[in-house]
Amino acid sequence: PKGAAAGPLPLIVALHGYGGTPAPIAEVYRASASRLGALLVVPRGQETVGRGFGWGVVEQAEYLVEQAIARTAAERPVGPIVLTGFSQGAGIALTMAARHPERYAGVVAVAGWFEERLAPLPEGVAPGFPRFCFLNGERDEAAANNRRAAQRLEQAGAAVRVRIYPGIGHK
């Protein structure tokens, strides 16, 4: 961000959906990151899908995202890290935060799908566990999945917010 202090800055890592590219998602988050005084990193999946990209299996995606964070941290001190994404990118963000809760401050999952078998949630969360925000269209099949994930996270003691947009599908 322009005029940012020299110390650690929050980092927003935004992940595109399946078949997407970094450019549109960067455009969506650029103004918010700037307003918040945060760094923005928008990595690209490695799997070619039409004119875009997919993230592959979770371990591949984790590697790519962690490499992007490491490159950013080598150039600039990084503070709290928030993962966000759309669709497949949101699913990757949710899984990464559940697998490595000590590493991330929060997740904003837009039309994602949480696959608990890939990252089982704890019965109780420790202080500092990431915050979770689920955003879904009412007609998106992922909405029911996210409501269940939010309920499990709340039962474990995590801070969770769910927003369902009426009449909207997978957008």
Side-chain angles (χ1 to χ4, degrees):
K2 294 178 182 173
L9 294 176
L11 175 63
I12 298 170
V13 180
L15 308 177
H16 62 78
Y18 185 76
T21 62
I25 200 161
E27 190 60 36
V28 168
Y29 286 97
R30 187 172 288 124
S32 294
S34 180
R35 188 177 66 252
L36 295 169
L39 301 167
L40 175 64
V41 171
V42 187
R44 187 191 83 191
Q46 68 176 6
E47 186 178 275
T48 303
V49 178
R51 294 183 181 191
F53 301 90
W55 291 101
V57 298
V58 173
E59 291 76 14
Q60 292 169 315
E62 283 182 325
Y63 177 80
L64 293 170
V65 171
E66 288 297 332
Q67 289 300 305
I69 292 170
R71 283 191 304 274
T72 302
E75 295 177 19
R76 176 79 195 220
V78 170
I81 301 170
V82 173
L83 300 172
T84 186
F86 172 72
S87 193
Q88 185 188 32
I92 296 297
L94 289 164
T95 300
M96 288 181 67
R99 282 184 173 185
H100 310 285
E102 72 289 348
R103 180 104 168 99
Y104 304 105
V107 177
V108 178
V110 181
W113 187 276
F114 181 65
E115 194 67 57
E116 191 170 355
R117 69 182 172 79
L118 298 176
L121 297 174
E123 292 302 317
V125 299
F129 197 80
R131 293 175 166 188
F132 291 82
C133 179
F134 295 91
L135 307 174
N136 282 96
E138 174 186 48
R139 295 184 348 221
D140 185 353
E141 68 181 64
N145 167 274
N146 283 264
R147 284 185 179 118
R148 284 190 301 276
Q151 184 178 34
R152 281 277 296 117
L153 285 160
E154 285 174 337
Q155 288 170 349
V160 180
R161 183 173 285 181
V162 177
R163 177 76 193 261
I164 305 294
Y165 297 91
I168 295 178
H170 190 71
K171 293 183 179 187

